[in-house]
Structures are given as structure tokens and as C-alpha cells.
Amino acid sequence: MIPTKALGICGSPRKGNSYFLLKKAIEGAKKVNPKAVKTEIYSIKGKTFHPCIACSYCVKHEGQCIHRDDFEELRDKWLKADVILYSVPVYHMGIPGQLKCFIDRLGNSMFGMFRSKFPAIKDNLPKMFKIIGSIAQGIHIFSGQEHTITNLINHALIMQSIPVTGDLWESYIGVGGWTSNVIEKDGLEKLIQKGDMSAEATIRASQVLGRRAVELAMIIQSGLLACKDILKEEPIYHPLLTWMEEKKKRLV
Ligand SMILES: Cc1cc2nc3c(=O)[nH]c(=O)nc-3n(C[C@H](O)[C@H](O)[C@H](O)COP(=O)(O)O)c2cc1C
């Protein structure tokens, strides 16, 4: 199997329910092949992501952002991953502001980075084909989980990547959960201890999401290599094919 990196990004400013579900998803990802799948969890807790100020500095400076904060560290981890699993709390029926700041800057920074490295795809993004899975949980039951997941699916598509879901019935477009009106950061864990069916389903769905994301990454990576002679005619695939060839040399 081609070595696969699964990066979990926790979009909560605290180590709470989102972090708990992300650990389950990462467990599921790792189980596919513990030797070949490397995993990492990144939490935005304590990190700073300033908002984009539309200065275009990144576009002219190989993707480097004018702000000096935690953005570039996470961007580089994002770029090196094959699978990205987001686990976020629902905020105002959408993704938390810190994560939105990161995502806004990620997109623009990529334009600057690829424009300098691959001039043939100037003013475009290469196909990245990262497999992106989303978990969103809130405090209430109909309170923005689907909107939040849709935000992340749109982000995946803009980033020339592939959104993935788990299995029905527990995961339609990603994993949505709720803490049964409890605000505490260990709300989900407590519900599990009480045998709450909805919390149990959210955990199972998170584990399956991680697993399906890695399986899809395997399929995509093998497919890219199998089709490389055709795809190499298109500059838009060059960064990805170069990366895949390098990874193939480290076959597990
Ligand atoms: C600023 C803010 C906005 C929130 N907005 C929503 C919301 O729109 N819908 C919802 O279900 N929960 C909302 N919540 C509750 C959180 O999504 C919920 O407590 C979640 O479990 C927090 O996850 P965490 O423990 O990972 O931080 C909000 C919480 C905060 C702090």
C-alpha cells in the first residue's frame, strides 16, 4: 500500500466533543493498515489564525502570507496529507471563525504557491485529490450540522479535492451529532456512559468515516498511478503525479 497520511483537524478552541469524535475517526483511519497509515491530530486550540486582509501578498510571494501566525504550520501539514478529517463544533449554524480564517487563507496561498512552482497552471489550482471527511456536532438537534458539513464539502471542492462520507444510515454527507442540550466539553462522553443511542451512532459514524476516507485515498492513489500516462498530458495533474511518484518509492 502507498503510505497514506491522515491529518485530523479539530476546529474547536477547546479540547472537547469535537476532539473526542476526531480521535474516533483517526482510530478508524489507522485501522485500515496500521503500518501504512500515519496519523496526526492538529487542534486549533491556543492557535491564532488572523483573517485574510485581501492584500494579495501571498499571490506575489510563493504563497507566503503577510500575517505571522499559526497559518503556515497548518497549511504545510494540510498539503502533506492525503486524507483530511475535520471535526468541528457548530457555531452560529456554520464553521467556527478560526477555521474559516484558515480556510480563506489556504485557498489564496495555494494560488501563489503553485503559480511559482508550476507556471503552466498559472491562476489555477492543480488537482489535489485530498480526501476530505467532515464531522460537525452541536448542542441541539436541528441546529446547523448539515450547513456546517456543506461548508466543508464546498471547501473540499474548491481545493480540487474529494469529499467523502461514511455509511448510511449514520452518515449521509458526513457525521452530524448533538450533545442533547449539554454545553459541557465532555457532554458526548457522558452520554456514551449513559448508553445514549444517538451519541453511540455518532461515534460509530466517526470511526467509519475515518476508515472510508483512507480506503478512498488508496483507490485514488492507485488510480492516479495507473492512469499517469494519460494524465501527464495535462499540467493540472503534474504536482499530484510528481508527489505520487515520490510516495510510490516509499511503498510499504
Ligand atoms: C459561539 C458559539 C456558537 C454556537 N452555535 C451553535 C449552533 O448554531 N448550533 C448548535 O447546535 N450549537 C452551537 N453551539 C454549541 C457547540 O456547537 C457545542 O457546545 C459543541 O458541542 C462544542 O464542541 P466542543 O466541545 O468541541 O467545543 C455554539 C457554541 C458557541 C460557543
Side-chain angles (χ1 to χ4, degrees), residues 18 88-96 136-139 143-146 148 177:
S18 313
V88 306
V90 179
Y91 274 14
H92 214 90
M93 295 189 74
I95 58 175
Q137 50 77 42
I139 186 169
S143 49
Q145 288 82 346
E146 288 179 353
T148 308

Side-chain angles (χ1 to χ4, degrees), residues 29-251:
K30 186 88 187 162
K31 268 194 189 156
V32 176
N33 185 334
K35 222 172 132 203
V37 180
K38 302 276 173 267
T39 60
E40 180 179 357
I41 294 188
Y42 181 97
S43 167
I44 67 153
K45 178 174 183 271
K47 308 284 185 184
T48 305
F49 299 99
H50 291 103
C52 178
I53 54 168
C55 64
S56 296
Y57 184 90
C58 60
V59 179
K60 294 169 203 145
H61 293 85
E62 301 182 11
Q64 198 197 323
C65 184
I66 198 153
H67 292 308
R68 304 316 304 150
D69 58 15
D70 294 301
F71 167 72
E72 277 174 16
E73 182 199 16
L74 182 53
R75 181 200 64 190
D76 293 346
K77 287 181 189 295
W78 196 98
L79 272 175
K80 284 183 192 142
D82 305 286
V83 167
I84 295 148
L85 297 166
Y86 287 105
S87 183
V88 306
V90 179
Y91 274 14
H92 214 90
M93 295 189 74
I95 58 175
Q98 296 93 321
L99 188 63
K100 178 74 167 86
C101 289
F102 168 73
I103 285 174
D104 289 346
R105 287 165 65 192
L106 178 69
N108 272 22
S109 165
M110 292 296 98
F111 280 107
M113 183 179 277
F114 287 106
R115 168 191 278 213
S116 61
K117 285 193 184 146
F118 295 91
I121 47 171
K122 189 171 178 284
D123 295 330
N124 205 341
L125 287 182
K127 298 297 170 198
M128 296 203 205
F129 290 174
K130 304 212 179 278
I131 309 302
I132 300 189
S134 307
I135 303 170
Q137 50 77 42
I139 186 169
H140 301 130
I141 190 163
F142 300 118
S143 49
Q145 288 82 346
E146 288 179 353
H147 291 296
T148 308
I149 294 172
T150 309
N151 283 169
L152 291 166
I153 290 174
N154 290 340
H155 152 63
L157 294 170
I158 292 173
M159 296 309 293
Q160 304 297 300
S161 292
I162 305 171
V164 65
T165 185
D167 298 344
L168 292 173
W169 56 268
E170 290 168 345
S171 174
Y172 273 52
I173 56 168
V175 180
W178 67 306
T179 57
S180 293
N181 308 342
V182 173
I183 194 78
E184 279 76 29
K185 61 183 181 182
D186 60 353
L188 272 173
E189 281 181 83
K190 287 202 172 127
L191 287 169
I192 291 292
Q193 283 156 18
K194 287 190 210 153
D196 181 90
M197 191 192 134
S198 166
E200 282 171 357
T202 312
I203 287 179
R204 269 198 310 276
S206 300
Q207 288 164 333
V208 173
L209 180 75
R211 175 169 196 96
R212 300 291 178 242
V214 169
E215 289 165 353
L216 185 54
M218 283 164 35
I219 295 166
I220 294 291
Q221 292 178 359
S222 309
L224 275 165
L225 291 172
C227 301
K228 68 173 188 300
D229 290 338
I230 297 170
L231 300 179
K232 72 180 182 209
E233 303 298 323
E234 295 272 359
I236 208 144
Y237 290 105
H238 287 179
L240 191 53
L241 289 174
T242 307
W243 193 42
M244 282 300 129
E245 289 294 344
E246 281 166 14
K247 272 159 65 81
K248 205 176 81 176
K249 289 183 198 141
R250 295 182 277 122
L251 268 179

